[in-house]
Structure formats: C-alpha cells, structure tokens
Amino acid sequence: MTAHFGRRLRKGAATTAVAAAAVAALSASQAPAVTGNDRPTAAGQTTPDGSTDHSATGDSPYYTDLPPLSSPLPSPSDSQSPSIGTPVSVGEAEAGIPATILDAYKKAETELAASKPGCNLPWQLLAAIGKVESGQARGGQVDASGTTTSKILGPALDGNGFALIKDTDNGAYDGNSTYDQAVGPMQFIPSTWAWAGRDGNGDGKKDPNNIYDAALAAGHYLCRNDWNLSTDAGLRSAILSYNNSTDYLNTVLSWLEYYRKGTHSVPDGTGTLPSGRSDDNSGANPTPTATPSPSTTPPATSTPNPSPTPKPSTSPTTPASSTPTPTPTPTDTVAKLADAGTAKLTAMAGDAFSKKISTSAKTSAGKTVAKVRIRFTIVEDTDATFTGGEKVAVVVTNASGVAVAPALQAGETTGDFTVRATLVGRAIAGLDYTASVTPRVADTLARTGTTALTCTPGGEFTDQVEVKATYKGAVADKVGATATLIKAADDTTENDKGPYFKDADGKTIRTLTGLATDADGLLKLPKLYADDTTGTFLLQITTTGGAILTVELTVAAATDTSSASPSPSASPSA
C-alpha cells in the first residue's frame, strides 16, 4: 500500500505544505485549485474563514487524513472475477468504500440528477465529504438498511473551541438537551437536519444515522442556492457551506480528486479508519515534564523556612477565577426579529415573486446585529418554494443586521401562505410574513382561425372553436376559462335552444366549465352540434382575469339550387 503523506493535517507551515502537495493534481481536473485563505461566496465575493456563515455540521471537527498521492486504480493483475453480490476489494485500501456506503452515494447522485440536473452533483463529492466527516461511517459500520450500528456524534458545540449552538432538538438526535452535536455519517447538526433531512431509503423516516437518508440530504444541501458543482465557484461555495474552513476545503478536494481516479467496493465494516482530526493537536506541542527528576531535588538543609509561606488569601488567583466568563456571541445578544421593509408579497401562479422578505435582528436596545443566522421556513401546505426548490433557507445577516431571503417561487396552489423567520441558535419569538398567490390570468382572447362557423339544422359544425389567450402580450398558459352559449350580447344567460355541446354521456350541455389554456396559451373547444332551430347564435368564452371573446355561430338550411336550373319539360315551339 502506498505510504501516507501528512497523516495528520497540522496548523502552520507543515499543514500548508502537505495540503498544497495533496491538491496539486486538481489543476488538471474540474475541481478548482486552492490558494489563499479566503473563500468565494455565491455572489463571487470572498469572506474570511472566520465568518459565522451557516454550515451543515456547525463547523465540527473532521478527519484530516489525506489520500496517497498515487493513483487508486488497481493494476490489471489485481482484477479478479468476483461472485455475484460479493464486493470487489482490489487496489489501495484507501480507495475502498464500504458497499452499502458506496450504494447510498450513487443512489443520491441519481436522485439529484433527476430532481436538480443543473447542480451536476458527482457521487465522489459525497464520498469525499463522508470520508472526512466520519471515515465512511467508521469504515462501513452499518446494518443492512444503512443505519449505523452505533451513533456517530461530534463534540458538544458549547463554544469551548467550537461554535456555540445551543440545543435545538431537545436531545432527540444527539441525546444532548443543552448543546447541539453533529450526528451521523454525514455529521449534520440537528438544527440543519430539521429542514435538510431526507428519506433516502423509502422507509418513511428521515434519520441522520442512516447513510441513505444522510447522503441524499447532503446532496440536496450541496445543491441548494442553484449552485452548479461542475464550476469552480459552485463547488467551492457548496463545500465551504458544509464546513467553513479552507483546510476543510483542501481536504475534501483532495479526496474528491482521488476518488475520481477510481474506487472499489469493500465489504461493510472493513473500510480503512482515519486517525487525524482537526481538533487533535497532540504532537503540535510536546507534553512538558512537570515533575522534576529526584536527582534535582535540593538537599533538605537548603529548604527555606516554612514561615514565609504566603497566606491563602494572598494567592494571586482563586479557583473561581480559573473559569472565565464566556463572551456572549452575536446570537446571544439578539432579543427580537423585526421586518426590514418587506413589500407586499404577491405573485401570479407559476411566477416568481418580485419582492423578497427582509428581516433584521435586533438587541433589546434596538441595535441591529450582524453575522447571525435567520431561518426562513414556508410553514403551510403549499407548492410555493424558495429559488432552488427548497422550503427552508438560512441566511446570515449582513453588516446592517438584515437577512434577505431568497426569492419566492409561486406554484399552482392559489391563496395565502406563511413564511416564518426564526433565529438559529436561540429561542426567541419568530416573525411571520403572509404571501399571496393569485390565479393565472389573461387580458386578451382571439380566435386562431377566420373561417365562418356554420351548420345545417340537426347537423354538426365542421370547424372546432380554438382561441389563444395572452397577458400583457405574452402567452397566458394554464389560465382557467368558461364557454357558454348565451341568448344575446346583452343577455349572457345560457341559451335553451340552438347550438350545443355534448357531455361524456352524449347529453346536451351549453356551458363548459373547468377549461384551461395549454402551455402555448391555446384552448380548443369540443365539437358543436345544432338542433332544428335556425338563426344566428352567440358563444361567449371568458377567462380568469376578465378576458372575453364572443363568437358568432350560424345555423341555416342548405341552399336549394334546383330552382335555378331550366325545366327539362320546356321545349321550343315548332
């Protein structure tokens, strides 16, 4: 097996050298080269690593082992024909991924390719993150359903060397009712799992300890915000949103490139286990020798007189002073959420809302608070979403203490729904916003044909009526419409004679409801028939939004042309 380089990723010059060597190969692939200490944001700007941007893991510790610098591809002589259903274990051990874990990553990639094709999520990215987060579920320690045989928990996020995230799940996932802890093979913190969780194995549950659920949730998390992971900017932004650290980015990119060169399946429970962690500083500072050697003990005669021993009251420190008072985080200072000038939220079904929700975080004194996380959640049963198809979005307040939610996208369900803004990491009153989805409308209707619509008594009209709907000059698709055969232009009640439609049972009807234009704004009515009444009749078509078109129908007997011919009995006189 190829020797490891940089088994533990240290801070300082050694870290930089090892990481640079490990990611050098990325310059020739789709993955970006990594330089500097800043990271690009979705907007293309850079934010220092020290920001408090939201992350899936709460920026918990991760495994820092780097892959070998050689290719993981097995040599041809190593390949054997395995029996059906038996994982293949060839090549370098580091390239082996436990069978169930690998299956979960590939299933997640397939689902994301269908639901969010513009994301271009490679399963190797999930494998890279799974490697650094949990060592592929501790080498594949999962049962047949993909659930870890024991819980994988990160340290308590109590602000002692880590982020401070107070309990958000009453200990339901992590067993800690005081602080949150990252949970499962993809290390989601409970507050993130609450909205990002997915059911990846179809058992009706969203379990962060199940690799199928966790891998699918990680895929959707990485694909939010319309990031395209085939681009440098999209890939960087997605990885840094998972754990906001440049060292983390370098490590994940290293494993991504390594897995792209080739992997193989190994039996569950036999994967290699990482050793180095980002919170492990052993070796960075040698343990000092606190107890002097007996040979250095001074003779008893040289021992000072005990009488000068200072009194306890004169000790420079007391036990209580050894525990510093924690410095309040920005989140701790937030007392309330307030609207920051959100305009009326209204959109037509299928359209994007032109206005966005803006919420400010404020202290009890009314001062705004920057760099705190605001979660926006669509709480009602509606098909409206945020841009990217998500029901939840987490946004960090800017320098003015304001968080602007992503644009809302209306679905087909009309009516009001609520978007709730809450503070992440502290329980204070939320703020509700009402958004309204109005029906699709048309302001103009026109026939697509110009042929006169005529019929003989008791017959059927040869041409079917087809109209096109538009709204402000654009195609008006999926607009509701009604067609009624009316008595007169000034009397729009349903006629009781003349032309008619037929229902599914062949019975006469003169009003059609529940109609809608198609994707091109077109509406083609069923065939029309005529009773024995002759004359001119009117068909009125109306749409949601008030567009009206009146079409003229004529029922007349066939023209008798026989009288125009000379009588065959007439003959010239002799």
Side-chain angles (χ1 to χ4, degrees):
M1 183 175 68
T2 304
H4 281 258
F5 289 87
R7 172 59 72 179
R8 298 186 179 187
L9 192 61
R10 303 290 180 199
K11 294 181 179 179
T15 298
T16 304
V18 173
V23 301
L26 294 175
S27 59
S29 71
Q30 286 182 311
V34 180
T35 57
N37 293 320
D38 290 346
R39 65 176 182 85
T41 64
Q45 299 173 339
T46 60
T47 301
D49 280 352
S51 77
T52 57
D53 198 4
H54 181 58
S55 71
T57 68
D59 295 338
S60 293
Y62 56 91
Y63 288 107
T64 57
D65 293 20
L66 293 173
L69 295 180
S70 60
S71 170
L73 288 174
S75 64
S77 60
D78 291 330
S79 300
Q80 299 178 357
S81 298
S83 59
I84 296 176
T86 302
V88 179
S89 180
V90 294
E92 290 184 339
E94 292 87 345
I97 299 177
T100 299
I101 310 300
L102 181 59
D103 184 57
Y105 295 150
K106 291 186 176 181
K107 276 183 166 55
E109 179 194 54
T110 300
E111 196 277 344
L112 267 299
S115 62
K116 295 184 178 180
C119 177
N120 297 303
L121 171 79
W123 67 261
Q124 292 91 341
L125 177 57
L126 296 177
I129 290 176
K131 180 69 174 181
V132 303
E133 292 295 347
S134 68
Q136 311 298 16
R138 292 176 177 160
Q141 299 291 336
V142 295
D143 62 20
S145 68
T147 301
T148 57
T149 54
S150 62
K151 283 192 174 183
I152 302 174
L153 296 174
L157 298 174
D158 57 3
N160 185 19
F162 311 112
L164 175 60
I165 303 179
K166 296 180 181 179
D167 175 63
T168 60
D169 66 331
N170 293 319
Y173 292 118
D174 54 17
N176 189 336
S177 59
T178 304
Y179 300 102
D180 270 353
Q181 294 176 245
V183 181
M186 303 305 279
Q187 289 289 277
F188 278 96
I189 54 174
S191 57
T192 300
W193 184 261
W195 61 266
R198 294 292 192 279
D199 177 14
N201 60 355
D203 64 356
K205 298 183 294 184
K206 299 176 183 179
D207 183 3
N209 301 294
N210 182 276
I211 186 58
Y212 288 98
D213 295 359
L216 184 58
H220 277 278
Y221 185 90
L222 293 165
C223 287
R224 74 197 194 286
N225 296 333
D226 287 337
W227 284 326
N228 180 355
L229 305 190
S230 67
T231 67
D232 289 358
L235 184 63
R236 286 171 176 266
S237 296
I239 296 173
L240 285 164
S241 77
Y242 212 89
N243 191 313
N244 185 27
S245 160
T246 301
D247 283 342
Y248 181 86
L249 172 69
N250 291 349
T251 308
V252 169
L253 289 176
S254 299
W255 283 105
L256 170 61
E257 179 66 12
Y258 183 73
Y259 286 142
R260 275 176 169 161
K261 293 178 180 178
T263 60
H264 57 273
S265 174
V266 299
D268 290 344
T270 65
T272 58
L273 296 176
S275 59
R277 282 171 59 88
S278 59
D279 60 338
D280 179 8
N281 291 318
S282 61
N285 295 304
T287 303
T289 303
T291 305
S293 168
S295 61
T296 62
T297 303
T301 55
S302 64
T303 303
N305 192 316
S307 58
T309 302
K311 296 180 180 180
S313 60
T314 62
S315 175
T317 59
T318 63
S321 65
S322 63
T323 303
T325 302
T327 302
T329 66
T331 301
D332 290 331
T333 67
V334 178
K336 63 181 178 179
L337 299 180
D339 178 52
T342 302
K344 186 176 181 180
L345 299 167
T346 304
M348 189 187 301
D351 289 351
F353 284 72
S354 59
K355 306 298 182 182
K356 296 181 180 180
I357 297 172
S358 296
T359 303
S360 62
K362 294 186 176 182
T363 66
S364 56
K367 183 180 178 180
T368 58
V369 184
K371 294 186 177 182
V372 296
R373 292 173 291 161
I374 306 296
R375 179 184 294 119
F376 297 95
T377 306
I378 299 173
V379 298
E380 258 102 10
D381 185 13
T382 176
D383 54 357
T385 63
F386 290 108
T387 301
E390 301 292 346
K391 292 284 189 180
V392 179
V394 177
V395 181
V396 178
T397 56
N398 58 23
S400 300
V402 176
V404 180
L408 287 164
Q409 174 66 44
E412 296 303 319
T413 303
T414 58
D416 294 345
F417 65 91
T418 300
V419 179
R420 180 165 298 151
T422 55
L423 178 68
V424 177
R426 188 178 179 197
I428 63 172
L431 187 62
D432 286 353
Y433 295 86
T434 299
S436 300
V437 179
T438 60
R440 295 172 182 261
V441 298
D443 55 17
T444 305
L445 277 175
R447 276 190 67 198
T448 59
T450 57
T451 305
L453 300 168
T454 61
C455 180
T456 57
E460 67 179 52
F461 287 80
T462 303
D463 296 315
Q464 291 176 245
V465 177
E466 184 182 64
V467 297
K468 183 171 184 177
T470 56
Y471 179 69
K472 294 182 179 180
V475 168
D477 61 322
K478 300 180 182 179
V479 175
T482 299
T484 305
L485 290 151
I486 60 176
K487 290 184 176 180
D490 56 357
D491 183 1
T492 58
T493 58
E494 181 180 292
N495 208 339
D496 56 0
K497 58 184 177 180
Y500 60 90
F501 299 104
K502 290 182 180 180
D503 64 13
D505 298 324
K507 296 180 180 179
T508 297
I509 55 172
R510 289 190 169 89
T511 297
L512 299 176
T513 59
L515 304 174
T517 60
D518 64 14
D520 297 318
L522 298 175
L523 171 62
K524 192 170 188 177
L525 300 182
K527 281 188 175 183
L528 278 163
Y529 302 86
D531 61 14
D532 293 334
T533 308
T534 59
T536 300
F537 302 89
L538 299 178
L539 169 66
Q540 189 174 82
I541 305 170
T542 60
T543 68
T544 305
I548 300 175
L549 176 66
T550 302
V551 180
E552 190 174 276
L553 308 172
T554 301
V555 180
T559 303
D560 183 3
T561 60
S562 61
S563 60
S565 303
S567 173
S569 60
S571 59
S573 59

